[in-house]
C-alpha cells in the first residue's frame, strides 16, 4: 500500500472515531434518561402494604412513616437534587393482591425500585416477577431468609434481622433463664414460623410442642389449648400483632400461664395495647426483642429527631415501633440512593446496597456484603414491666447458620443534622 493511501485511510478512521464520540456520549445520556422512575427532578419508588386485612393493625402505619421521612428529606432538597415519590398500594396481606399491585407498580407506574414490601407470604409471591424485571427490591419488610438468596434473586435484599437469627437469640435467652423448662412454639404457617422454629431448635433442640395458625382463621383457641395440654412453660411466638393479641388473650382466658417470648414483628407494646384495651395487663412480663431505638426512650437522639419529623408530617398516627421502623428503613434507603450517585441506575443502586457500610439508628450492624443480602445481624431483648416496654441486657449478633450467638458492644451512632444522611 502506498504511503498516500495509508494517510488517507488513517485520516478517515480518525474522522470516524471523532464522529462516534458524540454518538457514544448521546447513547450514555439517552440510557441515563431512560432509567425507569428517574427524572431530573424526582425518583419514583413503590411498595405493597397491608393497609387493610389481618396484618393492618400496626403494620399499616409503617408506610406512612416512610413517606413522612421522604417528605422531610424532600424539604431539604431531596437526594442529589431529586425528590423521592413513594407510591403505596394496599394488598390486604393477600398474596394474589400483591402480585397485581406489584405488576402495576413496575409495568404501569414504572417505579425505579420497590422499597419495604411487607410480608413473608405476600412478597414471596412476587420474587420471580421482580427477578425477571430486574427491579431493585430493597429492604423487604419481613425476616424471611428468602430475601437472602443473591444467586437466585440478585436484586432482592432484606433489612430487618431474619427470623432464624432472631430465633437463635430468643432461644439463647430461654436456655439461660429457664433451664429445664418445657419450651413450645406457636408460629405463622409459612416461612415466618418455620424460620423462627429453625432458629429456636438449633439452640434448644426439638421443642416440646408446636402449633401454627393461618392469617385467614382467627380461631386460635384449639392451638392454644393444645399448648396448654402439653404443659408448655415457655411459648416462643412467631406471630404478627393481631395473632399475638389473639394467642395471649386465649391463653389468659383458658388460665394457661406461660412465659411468652415473642418475635419483634408481633410485639410492639403500643400496637398490642390498642388491640387488647382493658386486657392489656396480660402483656406484663412479655419478653421480646428489637434492633432499633426504643420508642419509650425519649432521651435517645434518634427518637428525638424522628419524633420531630413525625409531629410535622405524620401527626395523625402514634409514635410507636412501627413508625420508628418506617423512619429507620427510609433513612437506610436515602443512604443507598446517595451511594448510587448523582446519575442513578438500577444496577448502581443494587451495587450500593451490596457493598453495604451503612450506619444509622440500628443497635447492631447490617450483614450486607458480597454474597449476603441479609439485613441487621442481631437484636436486643425487651421486657414489659408496669406498662413500659424496655431493653435489658446486651445486644446479640449471629447468623442464620451454625454461627455462635455473641454479645455486641459497639456504641450506637448519633443522627446527623436533621436526621438526613450526607453519605
Amino acid at each position: 500500500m502506498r504511503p498516500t493511501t495509508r494517510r488517507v485511510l488513517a485520516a478517515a478512521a480518525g474522522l470516524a472515531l471523532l464522529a462516534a464520540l458524540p454518538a457514544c456520549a448521546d447513547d450514555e445520556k439517552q440510557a441515563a434518561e431512560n432509567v425507569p422512575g428517574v427524572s431530573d427532578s424526582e425518583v419514583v419508588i413503590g411498595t405493597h402494604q397491608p393497609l387493610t386485612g389481618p396484618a393492618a393493625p400496626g403494620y399499616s402505619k409503617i408506610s406512612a412513616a416512610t413517606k413522612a421521612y421522604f417528605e422531610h428529606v424532600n424539604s431539604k432538597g431531596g437526594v442529589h437534587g431529586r425528590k423521592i415519590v413513594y407510591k403505596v398500594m394496599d394488598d390486604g396481606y393477600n398474596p394474589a393482591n400483591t402480585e397485581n399491585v406489584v405488576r402495576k407498580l413496575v409495568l404501569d407506574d414504572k417505579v425505579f425500585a420497590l422499597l419495604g414490601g411487607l410480608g413473608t407470604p405476600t412478597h414471596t409471591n412476587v420474587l420471580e416477577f421482580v427477578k425477571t424485571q430486574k427491579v431493585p427490591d430493597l429492604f423487604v419488610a419481613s425476616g424471611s431468609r428468602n430475601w437472602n438468596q443473591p444467586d437466585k434473586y440478585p436484586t432482592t435484599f432484606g433489612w430487618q434481622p431474619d427470623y432464624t437469627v432472631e430465633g437463635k437469640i430468643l432461644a439463647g435467652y430461654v436456655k439461660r433463664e429457664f433451664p429445664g423448662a418445657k419450651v413450645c412454639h406457636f408460629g405463622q404457617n409459612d416461612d415466618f414460623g418455620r424460620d423462627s422454629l429453625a432458629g429456636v431448635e438449633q439452640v434448644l433442640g426439638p421443642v416440646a410442642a408446636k402449633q401454627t395458625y393461618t392469617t385467614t382463621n382467627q380461631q386460635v383457641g384449639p392451638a392454644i389449648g393444645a399448648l396448654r395440654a402439653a404443659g408448655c412453660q415457655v411459648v416462643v411466638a412467631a406471630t404478627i400483632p393481631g395473632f399475638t393479641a389473639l394467642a395471649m388473650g386465649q391463653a389468659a382466658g383458658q388460665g394457661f400461664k406461660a412465659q411468652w417470648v415473642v418475635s419483634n414483628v408481633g410485639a410492639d407494646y403500643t400496637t398490642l395495647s390498642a388491640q387488647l384495651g382493658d386486657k392489656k395487663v396480660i402483656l406484663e412480663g412479655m419478653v421480646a426483642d428489637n434492633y432499633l431505638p426504643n420508642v419509650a426512650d425519649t432521651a435517645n437522639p434518634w427518637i428525638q429527631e424522628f419524633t420531630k419529623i413525625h409531629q410535622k408530617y405524620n401527626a395523625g398516627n402514634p409514635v410507636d415501633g412501627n413508625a420508628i421502623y418506617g423512619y429507620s428503613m427510609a433513612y437506610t434507603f436515602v443512604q443507598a440512593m446517595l451511594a448510587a450517585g448523582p446519575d442513578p441506575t438500577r444496577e448502581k443502586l443494587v451495587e450500593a446496597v451490596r457493598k453495604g457500610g451503612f450506619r444509622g439508628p440500628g443497635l447492631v450492624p447490617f450483614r450486607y456484603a458480597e454474597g449476603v443480602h441479609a439485613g441487621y445481624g442481631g437484636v436486643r431483648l425487651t421486657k414489659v414491666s408496669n406498662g413500659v416496654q424496655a431493653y435489658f441486657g446486651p445486644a446479640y449478633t449471629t447468623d442464620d447458620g451454625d454461627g455462635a450467638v455473641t454479645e455486641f458492644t459497639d456504641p450506637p451512632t448519633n443522627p446527623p443534622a436533621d436526621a438526613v444522611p450526607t453519605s
Side-chain angles (χ1 to χ4, degrees):
M1 184 180 293
R2 290 180 298 175
T4 302
T5 304
R6 291 193 189 98
R7 285 195 294 270
V8 170
L9 291 174
L15 288 172
L17 179 60
L18 289 172
L21 288 175
C24 291
D26 288 343
D27 287 345
E28 290 178 3
K29 181 178 180 182
Q30 185 67 34
E33 291 175 350
N34 288 337
V35 176
V38 177
S39 69
D40 290 340
S41 60
E42 64 183 27
V43 55
V44 182
I45 59 177
T47 190
H48 62 90
Q49 297 289 314
L51 304 182
T52 58
Y59 291 170
S60 63
K61 310 304 181 187
I62 292 174
S63 57
T66 301
K67 181 172 281 192
Y69 183 80
F70 290 150
E71 289 184 45
H72 171 68
V73 171
N74 291 343
S75 75
K76 307 295 180 182
V79 180
H80 292 305
R82 294 183 180 88
K83 294 188 176 182
I84 300 173
V85 178
Y86 193 41
K87 290 181 175 264
V88 179
M89 297 197 70
D90 180 21
D91 66 3
Y93 206 65
N94 181 323
N97 294 344
T98 308
E99 184 174 2
N100 292 333
V101 301
V102 169
R103 283 181 174 273
K104 182 181 186 307
L105 287 167
V106 173
L107 300 178
D108 297 342
D109 298 334
K110 300 188 184 304
V111 297
F112 175 58
L114 296 170
L115 174 67
L118 191 145
T120 301
T122 48
H123 202 77
T124 299
N125 203 43
V126 297
L127 283 176
E128 290 296 334
F129 171 73
V130 169
K131 175 183 177 178
T132 60
Q133 297 297 314
K134 299 180 180 179
V135 181
D137 182 22
L138 305 189
F139 312 154
V140 182
S142 154
S144 170
R145 290 182 291 177
N146 284 341
W147 329 137
N148 184 23
Q149 300 185 79
D151 291 338
K152 189 174 182 181
Y153 302 116
T155 66
T156 295
F157 293 81
W159 186 77
Q160 66 196 62
D162 75 46
Y163 298 129
T164 301
V165 164
E166 179 187 46
K168 287 171 66 176
I169 295 171
L170 292 178
Y173 164 78
V174 171
K175 188 174 184 178
R176 292 189 303 273
E177 299 298 321
F178 300 93
K182 186 171 283 191
V183 182
C184 303
H185 191 271
F186 179 64
Q188 193 160 296
N189 189 22
D190 57 22
D191 286 338
F192 171 20
R194 288 187 287 271
D195 285 356
S196 167
L197 180 62
V200 170
E201 293 193 325
Q202 187 169 325
V203 173
L204 297 177
V207 294
K210 53 191 175 185
Q211 292 290 319
T212 63
Y213 70 91
T214 60
T215 58
T216 55
N217 182 4
Q218 295 188 349
Q219 303 304 314
V220 300
I224 300 304
L227 294 177
R228 179 191 180 196
C232 301
Q233 297 167 295
V234 178
V235 178
V236 180
T239 45
I240 60 176
F243 282 83
T244 305
L246 285 169
M248 293 185 69
Q250 274 289 333
Q254 295 182 23
F256 173 33
K257 296 181 180 180
Q259 173 63 57
W260 287 83
V261 180
V262 184
S263 166
N264 68 82
V265 302
D268 179 65
Y269 181 76
T270 303
T271 302
L272 295 175
S273 295
Q275 291 184 282
L276 290 168
D278 293 342
K279 297 179 181 179
K280 66 182 180 181
V281 66
I282 67 176
L283 299 173
E284 285 294 311
M286 180 185 72
V287 171
D289 64 270
N290 208 328
Y291 48 95
L292 298 172
N294 185 349
V295 69
D297 182 7
T298 56
N300 183 286
W302 287 99
I303 297 299
Q304 292 174 350
E305 289 295 331
F306 287 152
T307 300
K308 291 177 188 176
I309 296 168
H310 189 95
Q311 290 171 343
K312 185 171 183 179
Y313 296 103
N314 195 22
N317 290 313
V319 182
D320 59 11
N322 298 295
I324 301 306
Y325 183 107
Y327 293 128
S328 301
M329 182 181 63
Y331 182 93
T332 311
F333 178 76
V334 170
Q335 288 183 301
M337 284 298 299
L338 287 167
D343 299 308
T345 64
R346 286 173 164 175
E347 294 76 15
K348 288 179 181 177
L349 181 60
V350 167
E351 183 59 25
V353 180
R354 186 181 294 121
K355 287 181 178 178
F358 305 129
R359 300 297 300 273
L363 308 184
V364 295
F366 287 112
R367 295 168 61 194
Y368 302 130
E370 192 65 37
V372 181
H373 285 196
Y376 280 113
V379 296
R380 189 181 177 194
L381 298 169
T382 66
K383 188 172 185 176
V384 176
S385 299
N386 298 318
V388 177
Q389 190 170 37
Y391 280 119
F392 68 93
Y396 296 93
T397 58
T398 188
D399 59 21
D400 55 6
D402 57 5
V405 175
T406 59
E407 291 187 13
F408 182 76
T409 57
D410 288 7
T413 60
N414 286 322
D418 297 318
V420 177
T422 55
S423 63

